[in-house]
Every structure is written in C-alpha cells, then in structure tokens.
Amino acid sequence: MKEKLLTPQEAAETLGLQISTLYRWSWARKIPSVKIGAALRFRETDIQDLISNGYRPRRDSSNG
C-alpha cells in the first residue's frame, strides 16, 4: 500500500496552520517531512499522528 503524501497546502489546512508556520516547523525539524527533488511533502499518517497526539512543537526562543 502506498503512503499518501500531502502538499504543504494540504498539510497546513489539515493542521489548521498558516503555510509559513508549516514550512518553519519543517525546516526546524519540528514536524516530519519528505523532500522529493525540490518538492516538500508530508506523510498523511505523520500529520494524523500529530493531530491524534495533540503535538505542539516546543517554542524556540531564537526562532520566535
């Protein structure tokens, strides 16, 4: 079974985040992501796990 990959827009909408926040979390490795060439994608199961577990990344004082 293939894993469904979400675009940044789809993942941000699912999590109820601004897309800029999603990118920032991804670049800071606070949220799992997959790079395919130049495209950034998010595993649907990872996003659902974040929702199920009520995950909130630790606030980084250097990153605001």
Side-chain angles (χ1 to χ4, degrees):
M1 182 173 146
K2 288 185 180 179
E3 174 107 38
K4 181 173 180 183
L5 297 176
L6 303 176
T7 65
Q9 184 66 39
E10 291 169 328
E13 288 174 7
T14 301
L15 290 169
L17 297 173
Q18 294 289 323
I19 197 163
S20 60
T21 301
L22 185 72
Y23 277 117
R24 195 169 48 251
W25 285 5
S26 175
W27 290 326
R29 296 180 188 242
K30 294 180 178 184
I31 187 170
S33 60
V34 177
K35 199 78 157 129
I36 302 172
L40 185 65
R41 295 293 182 261
F42 298 86
R43 289 182 188 93
E44 185 175 41
T45 54
D46 288 338
I47 300 301
Q48 292 304 322
D49 286 347
L50 294 174
I51 293 168
S52 296
N53 296 323
Y55 176 74
R56 295 180 68 181
R58 180 180 49 130
R59 185 170 202 133
D60 183 356
S61 60
S62 67
N63 221 1

